[in-house]
Amino acid sequence: MADEVVDEVCRIAQHVWGNPISNNTVGENAKSVIEQSREKLGRMIDGRAEDIVFMSGGTEANNVALLSGISNRKLEPLRPHVITSNVEHDSVKKYLEALEQKGEIELSLASVDTKTGMIGIETVFGMIKENTCLVSIMHANNETGVIMPIDKIGKELKILNESRLSNGAPYIFFHSDAAQTIGKIPVSVEDLGVDYLTIVGHKFYGPRIGALYARNVGVSTPVVSLLVGGGQERGFRPGTENTAMIGGLGIAASLVTSNISQYHSHMMKCRDFFQDKLNKESIQGMKVNFVLEDRLPNTLSITLPPNLIGSQVLKACSKKFVASLGAACHSNIQTPSNVLIKSGLTIEEANRTIRFSVGRDTTLKDTELIVKTLCSECLQVIEN
């Protein structure tokens, strides 16, 4: 967490301990913290504060968006049809697969291009049916760094929805998981044209909680809670609010709003420096993947030379730097990344691919040391 976030979390935990739903002074102070944070998150994504609902994290926000997009849709005898990509986070992929297995939805997986890792607009729209009611595509992939054309999909969906509604067909809600993009590139719900947007705090130096943006929440865009309880968050998310973490999330959002240009340019400078240094080493068989214009400024996917194993190289370099083989939440599972394979790498290539991420505090000196250590270790293994 950013220092400013830590300070705010500690301050609130010590001094703003009231229950936000209580009608007393300490409760009102806590409620004020929450509403101020709601304003800050809305400002960060160019949305309305009242359309922000605080959640435990990205998994809950994704699950709630998906459930909300298919609930109470009058499509009988057809089932709600959902379209998503084949490289989504498990909180989207597995949730939808579980609903499909229960016979509650019809699911279509849109494949990304195996040369670029990007989803094709025509691929998504080619899957739309009479009973399609939800499209969920991540804003950027956490393993490849590829930014998906969410704004273009949103624009086309808006046009299509106008036609569908005039013909009596169901409105198609549009959800995007923006966990990887917020804090790295500018994110505007107006530019993206989404109905739902997932916000994950720890991805932009905030606490490990999250929020869901729902356009005109509860009116044009439903929010169906996974939980049953009190009337917190205007009834959209029961459970006593975690005031300290929500306050910290607001500070993290303010930092993004004020500094996104600086954050973006700094990370891109470090990433490009890293890539240039790596290319100058000219180690045969080592390559940088998914080198596109539309990619995250902080992410670099590198495939090591043949006969090397990513996990072994990372272990040998662990005293110098930390990196990932795939998604961080799967780093304890020693199997090839399904996302990398779906994005065009072979199983063998996926086994020797490492994901590097730079951050706000990464220096050029850091990246130079990482490249030197990585290349030295690879050459040593190759020579032996």
Side-chain angles (χ1 to χ4, degrees):
M1 290 193 291
D3 291 341
E4 298 92 331
V5 173
V6 174
D7 290 343
E8 181 70 351
V9 169
C10 292
R11 182 191 71 81
I12 295 170
Q14 287 181 304
H15 303 294
V16 192
W17 46 266
N19 189 327
I21 209 168
S22 298
N23 292 320
N24 52 47
T25 303
V26 290
E28 289 172 358
N29 289 340
K31 183 176 177 61
S32 176
V33 167
I34 291 171
E35 295 311 315
Q36 288 176 37
S37 289
R38 205 185 306 279
E39 290 280 351
K40 291 168 184 174
L41 262 71
R43 197 173 303 120
M44 176 180 69
I45 61 169
D46 192 23
R48 302 192 313 163
E50 54 265 42
D51 290 339
I52 299 292
V53 181
F54 292 110
M55 308 235 159
S56 62
T59 292
E60 183 185 2
N62 279 339
N63 283 193
V64 168
L66 299 173
L67 177 62
S68 302
I70 65 169
S71 293
N72 302 316
R73 309 304 293 271
K74 297 178 181 179
L75 300 167
E76 292 82 359
L78 301 175
R79 291 172 294 163
H81 176 235
V82 181
I83 300 171
T84 191
S85 82
N86 65 342
V87 295
E88 296 293 318
H89 188 272
D90 275 353
S91 58
V92 170
K93 176 178 177 288
K94 289 187 176 181
Y95 187 76
L96 290 175
E97 287 176 344
L99 292 177
E100 182 187 34
Q101 288 170 7
K102 292 178 183 178
E104 297 181 11
I105 66 168
E106 182 183 348
L107 180 62
S108 294
L109 296 180
S111 298
V112 297
D113 188 291
T114 53
K115 292 182 180 179
T116 65
M118 185 177 290
I119 195 76
I121 300 172
E122 64 286 346
T123 303
V124 173
F125 281 83
M127 292 180 166
I128 290 177
K129 304 178 181 182
E130 175 190 353
N131 56 324
T132 302
C133 61
L134 175 65
V135 173
S136 178
I137 307 291
M138 64 191 345
H139 195 187
N141 187 268
N142 49 314
E143 295 187 48
T144 65
V146 175
I147 299 174
M148 306 300 179
I150 300 302
D151 55 342
K152 295 176 182 176
I153 295 174
K155 186 177 295 184
E156 292 298 320
L157 266 180
K158 182 178 181 181
I159 296 171
L160 178 62
N161 271 323
E162 290 173 355
S163 172
R164 284 170 66 90
L165 289 174
S166 65
N167 295 323
Y171 181 89
I172 302 173
F173 287 113
F174 187 28
H175 165 248
S176 187
D177 178 357
Q180 299 302 320
T181 50
I182 294 175
K184 303 176 184 74
I185 64 173
V187 175
S188 164
V189 292
E190 294 306 315
D191 291 343
L192 298 178
V194 293
D195 298 293
Y196 299 102
L197 189 83
T198 294
I199 301 168
V200 182
H202 66 273
K203 298 295 186 179
F204 53 96
Y205 292 70
R208 279 193 166 86
I209 62 167
L212 177 66
Y213 163 84
R215 186 181 297 276
N216 199 11
V217 63
V219 182
S220 59
T221 305
V223 170
V224 180
S225 178
L226 299 173
L227 307 175
V228 177
Q232 293 87 353
E233 284 298 280
R234 296 156 290 161
F236 296 122
R237 205 285 181 178
T240 303
E241 298 93 337
N242 191 338
T243 310
M245 293 301 168
I246 291 174
L249 188 63
I251 294 299
S254 291
L255 290 172
V256 170
T257 301
S258 300
N259 302 293
I260 186 60
S261 295
Q262 177 185 334
Y263 294 157
H264 179 272
S265 61
H266 173 73
M267 286 186 278
M268 189 160 61
K269 181 179 179 181
C270 289
R271 182 204 66 191
D272 291 347
F273 181 80
F274 191 134
Q275 184 173 323
D276 290 342
K277 283 287 183 182
L278 202 63
N279 289 336
K280 288 177 182 177
E281 291 290 337
S282 300
I283 296 180
Q284 188 173 2
M286 183 180 285
K287 65 172 183 175
V288 178
N289 304 309
F290 314 110
V291 183
L292 304 170
E293 182 177 339
D294 290 328
R295 58 173 171 155
L296 292 172
N298 72 314
T299 303
L300 211 57
S301 172
I302 298 171
T303 298
L304 303 177
N307 302 319
L308 297 183
I309 299 175
S311 58
Q312 293 178 357
V313 172
L314 279 184
K315 186 176 181 180
C317 299
S318 61
K319 292 184 179 180
K320 296 290 186 179
F321 64 81
V322 176
S324 303
L325 295 175
C329 46
H330 298 155
S331 58
N332 61 328
I333 303 174
Q334 299 301 313
T335 56
S337 163
N338 185 59
V339 166
L340 294 179
I341 294 168
K342 296 292 186 183
S343 299
L345 274 64
T346 65
I347 293 176
E348 191 271 335
E349 287 173 332
N351 267 326
R352 52 187 173 91
T353 295
I354 298 175
R355 179 189 65 163
F356 290 90
S357 299
V358 300
R360 298 176 189 175
D361 300 321
T362 305
T363 65
L364 297 182
K365 186 177 180 180
D366 292 333
T367 60
E368 193 166 19
L369 175 62
I370 292 170
V371 172
K372 182 178 179 180
T373 304
L374 176 66
C375 292
S376 175
E377 183 60 34
C378 288
L379 289 172
Q380 186 174 337
V381 174
I382 292 171
E383 290 171 0
N384 291 338

